[in-house]
Amino acid sequence: GIQVEQSPPDLILQEGANSTLRCNFSDSVNNLQWFHQNPWGQLINLFYIPSGTKQNGRLSATTVATERYSLLYISSSQTTDSGVYFCAVLPYGQNFVFGPGTRLSVLP
Amino acid sequence: DTGVSQNPRHKITKRGQNVTFRCDPISEHNRLYWYRQTLGQGPEFLTYFQNEAQLEKSRLLSDRFSAERPKGSFSTLEIQRTEQGDSAMYLCASSLFMRDTEAFFGQGTRLTVV
């Protein structure tokens, strides 16, 4: 089946710093989503981005489907950005497959 | 519509007992997914439905696990004869499977088997 990798596995930043999270996937996909998992465990939708670039406030994402990767950019990070960020892909005709996540800690 | 709803939020049960979780998807969504997440891991696929049909089950879904989606609306996930290894967060998601396949997750049900 499809493999999903995320890097880095852990990231520690000072408040105000910028960061880039990466998601690589091994096969063509119909959908790619980025999620932030809050401290209570709920997965919060950040971006639905099977291809192209989107921006939402301090966050933006780019997916290059032909090269099978996606990037999540966080600018001017805040302590509330801390948590685990997951990339999930939907291969054609199959179920969502999650990456292992990137654990982000933003220090005040 | 307030999104995907899961109940209960927390469940503590003794080993060997049966438990049932419920998921109410976003009303017009025809796909419903169940995932399981253990501490420090990403969510793992269990099963999914399109309307009332169960289209795929993971090998993780042993014969102690059963899921239903009668009438293509809410879904239930039952675990029989629970084991300590079943302790996890159980997540439900729904999507409108047409052109747009964005999925939305519920708050999850955290199961602890003692």
Side-chain angles (χ1 to χ4, degrees):
Chain A
I2 194 169
Q3 303 298 310
V4 182
E5 300 175 344
Q6 289 187 244
S7 59
D10 296 280
L11 186 58
I12 301 175
L13 300 174
Q14 284 297 133
E15 198 168 25
N18 302 331
S19 60
T20 301
L21 283 57
R22 186 177 180 103
C23 172
N24 293 333
F25 46 98
S26 61
D27 205 347
S28 300
V29 298
N30 191 39
N31 178 10
L32 186 145
Q33 291 186 236
W34 283 98
F35 297 92
H36 177 213
Q37 190 159 42
N38 67 22
W40 298 272
Q42 186 170 7
L43 290 165
I44 306 300
N45 287 39
L46 296 178
F47 293 102
Y48 163 67
I49 187 164
S51 63
T53 297
K54 292 187 178 180
Q55 181 156 6
N56 184 4
R58 296 179 298 103
L59 274 59
S60 64
T62 295
T63 296
V64 183
T66 53
E67 296 186 23
R68 299 179 184 166
Y69 74 89
S70 182
L71 302 173
L72 176 68
Y73 305 95
I74 305 174
S75 64
S76 304
S77 57
Q78 302 175 356
T79 55
T80 52
D81 295 330
S82 296
V84 184
Y85 290 80
F86 288 104
C87 163
V89 302
L90 182 69
Y92 293 96
Q94 299 182 41
N95 53 273
F96 281 93
V97 178
F98 281 77
T102 292
R103 182 173 299 278
L104 175 64
S105 300
V106 182
L107 306 178
Chain B
D1 193 347
T2 56
V4 180
S5 177
Q6 291 187 245
N7 287 287
R9 297 290 306 279
H10 303 274
K11 179 71 177 179
I12 300 174
T13 191
K14 292 183 179 180
R15 190 171 46 189
Q17 298 294 304
N18 300 342
V19 294
T20 300
F21 310 141
R22 178 177 170 126
C23 173
D24 287 89
I26 294 172
S27 58
E28 68 270 23
H29 284 184
N30 54 4
R31 278 217 170 167
L32 187 148
Y33 301 83
W34 284 99
Y35 283 77
R36 181 173 71 184
Q37 186 179 23
T38 52
L39 199 63
Q41 305 297 315
E44 295 175 298
F45 170 74
L46 292 178
T47 188
Y48 82 91
F49 294 83
Q50 182 151 323
N51 300 313
E52 66 275 11
Q54 188 173 19
L55 296 188
E56 186 177 350
K57 292 194 294 185
S58 163
R59 288 172 295 178
L60 291 175
L61 212 66
S62 76
D63 56 6
R64 296 186 298 106
F65 288 70
S66 62
E68 294 182 340
R69 192 182 182 197
K71 303 177 184 178
S73 56
F74 70 92
S75 176
T76 57
L77 178 67
E78 181 182 17
I79 309 175
Q80 296 183 326
R81 306 182 301 282
T82 52
E83 301 172 357
Q84 286 191 320
D86 297 331
S87 296
M89 174 76 91
Y90 290 84
L91 296 163
C92 174
S94 71
S95 69
L96 180 61
F97 189 72
M98 294 176 66
R99 290 189 306 171
D100 183 341
T101 57
E102 184 174 11
F104 295 86
F105 280 79
Q107 316 96 308
T109 294
R110 188 173 297 279
L111 173 66
T112 302
V113 181
V114 298

